[in-house]
mmCIF file of all heavy atoms in Angstrom:
data_model
loop_
_atom_site.group_PDB
_atom_site.id
_atom_site.type_symbol
_atom_site.label_atom_id
_atom_site.label_comp_id
_atom_site.label_asym_id
_atom_site.label_seq_id
_atom_site.Cartn_x
_atom_site.Cartn_y
_atom_site.Cartn_z
ATOM 1 N N LEU A 126 -36.112 -89.648 302.476
ATOM 2 C CA LEU A 126 -35.767 -91.039 302.076
ATOM 3 C C LEU A 126 -35.842 -92.042 303.254
ATOM 4 O O LEU A 126 -36.242 -93.175 303.075
ATOM 5 C CB LEU A 126 -34.357 -91.047 301.502
ATOM 6 C CG LEU A 126 -34.173 -90.343 300.138
ATOM 7 C CD1 LEU A 126 -32.676 -90.307 299.767
ATOM 8 C CD2 LEU A 126 -34.947 -91.094 299.064
ATOM 9 N N PRO A 189 -44.232 -98.397 294.502
ATOM 10 C CA PRO A 189 -43.148 -98.410 293.491
ATOM 11 C C PRO A 189 -42.395 -97.119 293.458
ATOM 12 O O PRO A 189 -41.219 -97.075 293.113
ATOM 13 C CB PRO A 189 -43.951 -98.639 292.196
ATOM 14 C CG PRO A 189 -45.317 -98.220 292.466
ATOM 15 C CD PRO A 189 -45.541 -98.576 293.898
ATOM 16 N N LEU A 190 -43.018 -96.014 293.805
ATOM 17 C CA LEU A 190 -42.346 -94.703 293.830
ATOM 18 C C LEU A 190 -41.327 -94.668 294.969
ATOM 19 O O LEU A 190 -40.232 -94.151 294.806
ATOM 20 C CB LEU A 190 -43.359 -93.557 293.993
ATOM 21 C CG LEU A 190 -44.450 -93.498 292.911
ATOM 22 C CD1 LEU A 190 -45.425 -92.364 293.226
ATOM 23 C CD2 LEU A 190 -43.781 -93.265 291.563
ATOM 24 N N ALA A 191 -41.702 -95.224 296.110
ATOM 25 C CA ALA A 191 -40.759 -95.274 297.249
ATOM 26 C C ALA A 191 -39.562 -96.126 296.927
ATOM 27 O O ALA A 191 -38.411 -95.749 297.224
ATOM 28 C CB ALA A 191 -41.463 -95.816 298.504
ATOM 29 N N ARG A 192 -39.785 -97.245 296.273
ATOM 30 C CA ARG A 192 -38.676 -98.127 295.849
ATOM 31 C C ARG A 192 -37.770 -97.361 294.874
ATOM 32 O O ARG A 192 -36.531 -97.499 294.965
ATOM 33 C CB ARG A 192 -39.212 -99.400 295.267
ATOM 34 C CG ARG A 192 -39.844 -100.361 296.264
ATOM 35 C CD ARG A 192 -40.467 -101.534 295.588
ATOM 36 N NE ARG A 192 -41.055 -102.438 296.542
ATOM 37 C CZ ARG A 192 -42.002 -103.343 296.264
ATOM 38 N NH1 ARG A 192 -42.472 -103.422 295.021
ATOM 39 N NH2 ARG A 192 -42.442 -104.155 297.242
ATOM 40 N N ALA A 193 -38.372 -96.701 293.901
ATOM 41 C CA ALA A 193 -37.599 -95.917 292.927
ATOM 42 C C ALA A 193 -36.726 -94.842 293.590
ATOM 43 O O ALA A 193 -35.596 -94.617 293.233
ATOM 44 C CB ALA A 193 -38.514 -95.348 291.887
ATOM 45 N N MET A 194 -37.349 -94.165 294.606
ATOM 46 C CA MET A 194 -36.546 -93.168 295.359
ATOM 47 C C MET A 194 -35.337 -93.730 296.002
ATOM 48 O O MET A 194 -34.241 -93.190 295.883
ATOM 49 C CB MET A 194 -37.509 -92.518 296.408
ATOM 50 C CG MET A 194 -38.598 -91.604 295.906
ATOM 51 S SD MET A 194 -39.794 -91.178 297.176
ATOM 52 C CE MET A 194 -38.715 -90.447 298.457
ATOM 53 N N LEU A 195 -35.469 -94.862 296.627
ATOM 54 C CA LEU A 195 -34.378 -95.484 297.341
ATOM 55 C C LEU A 195 -33.292 -96.017 296.349
ATOM 56 O O LEU A 195 -32.108 -95.895 296.584
ATOM 57 C CB LEU A 195 -34.836 -96.586 298.253
ATOM 58 C CG LEU A 195 -35.770 -96.141 299.406
ATOM 59 C CD1 LEU A 195 -36.203 -97.325 300.216
ATOM 60 C CD2 LEU A 195 -35.103 -95.094 300.287
ATOM 61 N N GLU A 196 -33.779 -96.590 295.219
ATOM 62 C CA GLU A 196 -32.859 -97.092 294.198
ATOM 63 C C GLU A 196 -32.047 -95.955 293.612
ATOM 64 O O GLU A 196 -30.856 -96.099 293.358
ATOM 65 C CB GLU A 196 -33.655 -97.878 293.157
ATOM 66 C CG GLU A 196 -34.190 -99.200 293.630
ATOM 67 C CD GLU A 196 -35.114 -99.844 292.625
ATOM 68 O OE1 GLU A 196 -35.286 -99.252 291.518
ATOM 69 O OE2 GLU A 196 -35.671 -100.897 292.915
ATOM 70 N N THR A 197 -32.756 -94.819 293.335
ATOM 71 C CA THR A 197 -32.067 -93.679 292.763
ATOM 72 C C THR A 197 -31.044 -93.158 293.745
ATOM 73 O O THR A 197 -29.916 -92.758 293.365
ATOM 74 C CB THR A 197 -33.055 -92.561 292.421
ATOM 75 O OG1 THR A 197 -33.977 -93.087 291.433
ATOM 76 C CG2 THR A 197 -32.337 -91.363 291.832
ATOM 77 N N ALA A 198 -31.387 -93.091 295.041
ATOM 78 C CA ALA A 198 -30.472 -92.615 296.039
ATOM 79 C C ALA A 198 -29.223 -93.518 296.113
ATOM 80 O O ALA A 198 -28.126 -93.032 296.239
ATOM 81 C CB ALA A 198 -31.158 -92.518 297.380
ATOM 82 N N GLU A 199 -29.460 -94.840 296.043
ATOM 83 C CA GLU A 199 -28.357 -95.777 296.132
ATOM 84 C C GLU A 199 -27.427 -95.640 294.929
ATOM 85 O O GLU A 199 -26.197 -95.649 295.074
ATOM 86 C CB GLU A 199 -28.878 -97.203 296.226
ATOM 87 C CG GLU A 199 -27.791 -98.258 296.439
ATOM 88 C CD GLU A 199 -26.987 -98.028 297.708
ATOM 89 O OE1 GLU A 199 -27.589 -97.544 298.721
ATOM 90 O OE2 GLU A 199 -25.791 -98.315 297.703
ATOM 91 N N ARG A 200 -28.016 -95.489 293.739
ATOM 92 C CA ARG A 200 -27.225 -95.292 292.551
ATOM 93 C C ARG A 200 -26.443 -94.004 292.604
ATOM 94 O O ARG A 200 -25.277 -93.935 292.168
ATOM 95 C CB ARG A 200 -28.123 -95.289 291.283
ATOM 96 C CG ARG A 200 -28.643 -96.671 290.898
ATOM 97 C CD ARG A 200 -29.623 -96.546 289.717
ATOM 98 N NE ARG A 200 -28.958 -95.852 288.623
ATOM 99 C CZ ARG A 200 -29.602 -95.282 287.596
ATOM 100 N NH1 ARG A 200 -30.916 -95.264 287.630
ATOM 101 N NH2 ARG A 200 -28.971 -94.726 286.626
ATOM 102 N N SER A 201 -27.037 -92.981 293.152
ATOM 103 C CA SER A 201 -26.365 -91.694 293.321
ATOM 104 C C SER A 201 -25.187 -91.796 294.247
ATOM 105 O O SER A 201 -24.099 -91.273 293.906
ATOM 106 C CB SER A 201 -27.350 -90.615 293.820
ATOM 107 O OG SER A 201 -28.431 -90.416 292.927
ATOM 108 N N ARG A 202 -25.343 -92.515 295.348
ATOM 109 C CA ARG A 202 -24.270 -92.665 296.288
ATOM 110 C C ARG A 202 -23.125 -93.443 295.662
ATOM 111 O O ARG A 202 -21.957 -93.103 295.805
ATOM 112 C CB ARG A 202 -24.754 -93.369 297.586
ATOM 113 C CG ARG A 202 -25.475 -92.488 298.567
ATOM 114 C CD ARG A 202 -25.682 -93.186 299.914
ATOM 115 N NE ARG A 202 -26.622 -94.281 299.736
ATOM 116 C CZ ARG A 202 -27.940 -94.138 300.011
ATOM 117 N NH1 ARG A 202 -28.383 -92.988 300.384
ATOM 118 N NH2 ARG A 202 -28.728 -95.177 299.926
#
Side-chain angles (χ1 to χ4, degrees):
L126 291 174
L190 302 177
R192 288 174 178 159
M194 287 168 57
L195 296 179
E196 288 171 3
T197 299
E199 185 59 34
R200 286 177 55 201
S201 299
R202 280 192 291 267

